[in-house]
Amino acid sequence: MTSVLKAVFYPRFSRTWSQVFSGVRYCSTGAGMSAGGSNSGRALIGVCQMTSRSDKDDNFQVYSELIERASTRGAKVVFLPEGFDHLGGGVPQTVSTAETLDGELMTRVSALAKKHNVWLSLGGFHEKGPESDSSRVYNTHVMMDNQGAIVATYRKTHLFHVDIPGQVRLKEAEWTIPGGEVVAPVPTPAGKVGLAICYDLRFPEMCISLAQMGADILTFPSAFTQTTGMAHWEVLLRARAIENQCYVVAAAQTGAHNEKRRSYGHAMVVDPWGCVVACCHEGTDLCVAEVDLDYLHKVRREMPVWEHRRHDIYGHIELKK
């Protein structure tokens, strides 16, 4: 069986380099990248890592530079983390500074998309809630095209709640209104992108639903805590990629947002075989990776797990209508 798997999948590594750290194989497709994603079935994406704080203008300068760097390197889609607009100012500021999707901040971000001719995954925008629930906001993943138009929005459905005495306490429902639906994958120059946010990563049912709807890429813009990130971040990302045979893209917050809140970082891209093909270093950073849809289809064709599911035994995962 091992020799068969080597014959089927290892030819991909002839155009890659790989190293093993702590038993995990890391691969890079840098040598085979096509600038601007011009090769059929391939496109470059940029994945951002930053430390958002309470000042929205300061944060804007940081991710503006990251978007420009990604565009210069040929990325067609750029992914920003949860809370790219602001973090760390406390619940009152989060609520009071929330904006609508047609507000000042999104107008400025729209101009960036158009200026740099890139699609933007804006994961975790603090969207103003309705008057009937004015003390909370939506945590909204916005997909914007290269003309600056919003083409899809997803409001975070799974809200994080952790209380570890002496370490961390976060109860997202105190300031966030849960979303009520999974959004169909969005066609982009890099493939069909399934929209999720951070804590959604822990719920494989949602990922299966997105894959069943045609997602090529599952994206989890995040602000994972230091404690949970060290334990679970990479293994969950790689698991979602392997079990759904999708690329997984995870832009991330990193470092200290204030004296009480710190994020894990380690923004990365995982391919459908479970290899980490790009990862940011410590601090503010950008990594660029190639999404190769031909390779994705090869993995699915040669290990057809979707055809082997026993729905006659355990049923289907279906979205409510």
Side-chain angles (χ1 to χ4, degrees):
M1 181 65 178
T2 301
S3 61
V4 172
L5 289 177
K6 284 183 178 179
V8 170
F9 292 104
Y10 281 20
R12 172 174 170 80
F13 297 145
S14 65
R15 61 181 178 86
T16 69
W17 56 266
S18 63
Q19 292 177 299
V20 177
F21 299 96
S22 302
V24 177
R25 183 173 295 276
Y26 288 74
C27 314
S28 170
T29 56
M33 285 184 179
S34 54
S38 59
N39 288 353
S40 175
R42 300 180 188 174
L44 296 185
I45 61 172
V47 182
C48 300
Q49 180 171 283
M50 61 183 292
T51 307
S52 292
R53 295 192 174 93
S54 58
D55 191 306
K56 294 166 78 170
D57 287 332
D58 286 351
N59 297 330
F60 181 85
Q61 292 303 315
V62 173
Y63 59 77
S64 294
E65 292 175 6
L66 291 171
I67 291 169
E68 182 176 10
R69 284 172 55 191
S71 174
T72 299
R73 294 180 63 180
K76 295 301 181 185
V77 186
V78 182
F79 296 80
L80 297 184
E82 181 181 30
F84 71 95
D85 50 350
H86 64 92
L87 278 179
V91 174
Q93 184 184 25
T94 295
V95 174
S96 66
T97 61
E99 298 186 24
T100 60
L101 293 173
D102 59 356
E104 178 185 356
L105 182 62
M106 277 299 167
T107 300
R108 296 174 71 190
V109 174
S110 173
L112 287 177
K114 193 170 184 178
K115 175 182 177 181
H116 297 295
N117 191 31
V118 293
W119 285 59
L120 296 176
S121 162
L122 307 164
F125 167 69
H126 294 93
E127 181 190 359
K128 188 174 182 178
E131 291 296 328
S132 59
D133 199 346
S134 59
S135 63
R136 298 194 295 173
V137 302
Y138 292 111
N139 188 343
T140 304
H141 188 160
V142 179
M143 183 61 72
M144 186 176 288
D145 69 17
N146 61 339
Q147 295 303 304
I150 294 175
V151 296
T153 58
Y154 159 75
R155 290 167 172 167
K156 188 176 182 181
T157 55
H158 301 100
L159 301 185
F160 185 58
H161 182 180
V162 64
D163 190 351
I164 304 174
Q167 295 188 52
V168 62
R169 182 188 184 277
L170 279 174
K171 188 175 180 181
E172 197 172 7
E174 291 178 349
W175 69 87
T176 305
I177 306 166
E181 64 176 348
V182 176
V183 175
V186 183
T188 76
K192 294 182 179 179
V193 176
L195 305 181
I197 301 173
C198 197
Y199 192 49
D200 291 329
L201 174 61
R202 293 185 179 273
F203 300 90
E205 300 89 346
M206 180 176 176
C207 302
I208 292 172
S209 296
L210 288 167
Q212 288 179 159
M213 288 190 285
D216 304 307
I217 300 167
L218 301 174
T219 184
F220 300 98
S222 297
F224 249 59
T225 68
Q226 192 77 18
T227 302
T228 57
M230 287 190 294
H232 298 149
W233 173 247
E234 183 178 319
V235 69
L236 285 171
L237 293 171
R238 297 181 73 220
R240 297 295 91 88
I242 294 166
E243 66 196 8
N244 293 290
Q245 299 179 319
C246 288
Y247 280 89
V248 165
V249 177
Q253 293 284 345
T254 188
H257 309 289
N258 57 32
E259 61 183 16
K260 294 182 179 180
R261 184 171 181 181
R262 174 177 291 272
S263 293
Y264 179 63
H266 296 77
M268 66 177 66
V269 181
V270 185
D271 75 11
W273 190 238
C275 287
V276 178
V277 296
C279 186
C280 289
H281 62 57
E282 291 296 318
T284 300
D285 193 25
L286 167 78
C287 63
V288 174
E290 180 184 74
V291 172
D292 184 345
L293 296 183
D294 292 336
Y295 175 65
L296 178 148
H297 296 310
K298 175 182 172 67
V299 170
R300 293 180 178 180
R301 184 174 62 251
E302 296 176 349
M303 187 170 282
V305 295
W306 292 97
E307 298 174 17
H308 298 159
R309 280 183 158 81
R310 292 296 305 276
H311 299 299
D312 58 316
I313 298 174
Y314 43 71
H316 294 261
I317 292 177
E318 296 180 352
L319 296 177
K320 286 189 174 182
K321 297 181 180 179

